[in-house]
Amino acid sequence: MARHETRAERATAWAFEALQPLHQAQAGGPAVPRRLLQRRQSLAWLAGCALSLPATAGAAGGACVATPPEMAGPFPGDGTNRWLTGRHNALALAGIERPDIRTSLSGGRSTAQGAPLSLQLKLVSARDCAPLRGWAVYLWQCDAVGRYSMYDDALEREDHLRGVQRSNADGDLRFTTVFPGCYPGRMPHVHLHVYAPGALAAPRLTSQLAFEPEVCERVYRGNAYAGSREPFAGLSFARDRIFRDGVDRQMLRTAEVSGVLQSQLTIAVDVR
């Protein structure tokens, strides 16, 4: 039986007028009605993806509001905790700096199944919204059925859905992953550490990012997410131990472009 974690902006400027339904072929799921993207919406979104995320999310008076810190949770795989089978450290793996985190680097080299997701982040200084170049993000998440590699009984030798990317001159970075599943007690989310340039030592920010409920509901129609429907049906941000104190600055903005989900958010880091 899988071991589960027990603890626990929405976009306005960039959001679509209405979220586009998911591609019918996603994760082998049933057919879902799909509206065509309006030309202006599609071009605006694609332009944002091709250029960079805005550095003004949460900005006020020339400063960006810092992304709230959160606990790492029990499955970080960063060498800081010991599990039943030892101390796990994905950061020590050769090749951990990679854009596509769906396949394990070791073990059975398994590939996580689920709806493809392009997760795009922009790192900025909370002091003045300036982009942070060369900073690193370590991202980890559960799979479509709520399991974390390196910790779940069936995945102890696997390390998929864990990876590191460094920001470019504009502060931008991107991961290719799958949409996370849902397990009891927690709204769907991903975890991250943000590191200053150089070695992956002490993170300058540890946080968690959430997904819009309507997006989750549509994703979970796919066959790969059958096990996520029941736990998700009884959840809300108000009942989530991590997000119940507010989630606006941690809400990923998600839409579908050419059949692929794309989630975006600006992360403001206190660099003092």
Side-chain angles (χ1 to χ4, degrees):
M1 181 178 180
R3 306 184 187 95
H4 296 312
E5 179 179 358
T6 57
R7 279 208 62 186
E9 220 148 35
R10 185 178 304 272
T12 55
W14 279 30
F16 286 122
E17 180 178 345
L19 182 71
Q20 305 300 319
L22 299 176
H23 193 274
Q24 66 183 46
Q26 148 197 314
V32 178
R34 175 190 174 104
R35 293 175 298 164
L36 292 177
L37 293 172
Q38 293 182 9
R39 178 175 177 81
R40 290 186 178 179
Q41 290 175 321
S42 180
L43 290 176
W45 183 268
L46 290 174
C49 297
L51 297 176
S52 64
L53 290 168
T56 56
C64 287
V65 180
T67 298
E70 303 289 1
M71 63 177 292
F75 311 123
D78 59 359
T80 59
N81 69 343
R82 182 176 296 276
W83 199 247
L84 299 178
T85 54
R87 191 177 298 275
H88 303 302
N89 189 4
L91 298 178
L93 294 171
I96 193 63
E97 292 196 24
R98 54 184 179 151
D100 192 332
I101 64 174
R102 292 175 293 182
T103 299
S104 287
L105 294 167
S106 55
R109 296 190 178 275
S110 63
T111 298
Q113 303 301 304
L117 173 67
S118 176
L119 199 156
Q120 304 162 32
L121 303 175
K122 184 182 194 71
L123 304 182
V124 301
S125 166
R127 181 177 60 240
D128 57 7
C129 297
L132 297 176
R133 178 178 184 175
W135 287 57
V137 169
Y138 167 45
L139 184 86
W140 72 97
Q141 64 170 87
C142 71
D143 64 11
V145 295
R147 305 175 301 176
Y148 285 85
S149 66
M150 307 181 86
Y151 292 88
D152 187 86
D153 287 342
L155 301 174
E156 287 177 344
R157 297 180 63 245
E158 307 299 331
D159 47 61
H160 55 232
L161 303 183
R162 300 177 182 273
V164 173
Q165 280 286 274
R166 295 185 184 271
S167 58
N168 63 17
D170 296 316
D172 299 326
L173 56 88
R174 179 184 308 201
F175 290 96
T176 298
T177 181
V178 298
F179 198 92
C182 183
Y183 51 84
R186 291 303 317 278
M187 288 290 284
H189 62 281
V190 297
H191 303 256
L192 56 80
H193 287 327
V194 180
Y195 298 90
L200 302 176
R204 299 294 294 270
L205 171 69
T206 296
S207 193
Q208 300 183 27
L209 309 180
F211 293 85
E212 298 151 308
E214 58 269 28
V215 178
C216 301
E217 182 179 358
R218 289 172 176 171
V219 171
Y220 293 165
R221 295 173 185 171
N223 290 343
Y225 295 90
S228 292
R229 296 170 195 156
E230 183 175 350
F232 178 71
L235 291 175
S236 68
F237 289 120
R239 300 176 63 183
D240 185 292
R241 297 182 183 179
I242 294 295
F243 296 132
R244 65 186 178 189
D245 60 348
V247 72
D248 289 348
R249 297 200 300 276
Q250 295 153 269
M251 186 78 76
L252 288 154
R253 311 179 294 249
T254 303
E256 182 189 1
V257 178
S258 301
V260 177
L261 293 170
Q262 296 190 356
S263 294
Q264 303 179 329
L265 188 63
T266 295
I267 306 295
V269 184
D270 188 347
V271 299
R272 292 176 295 175

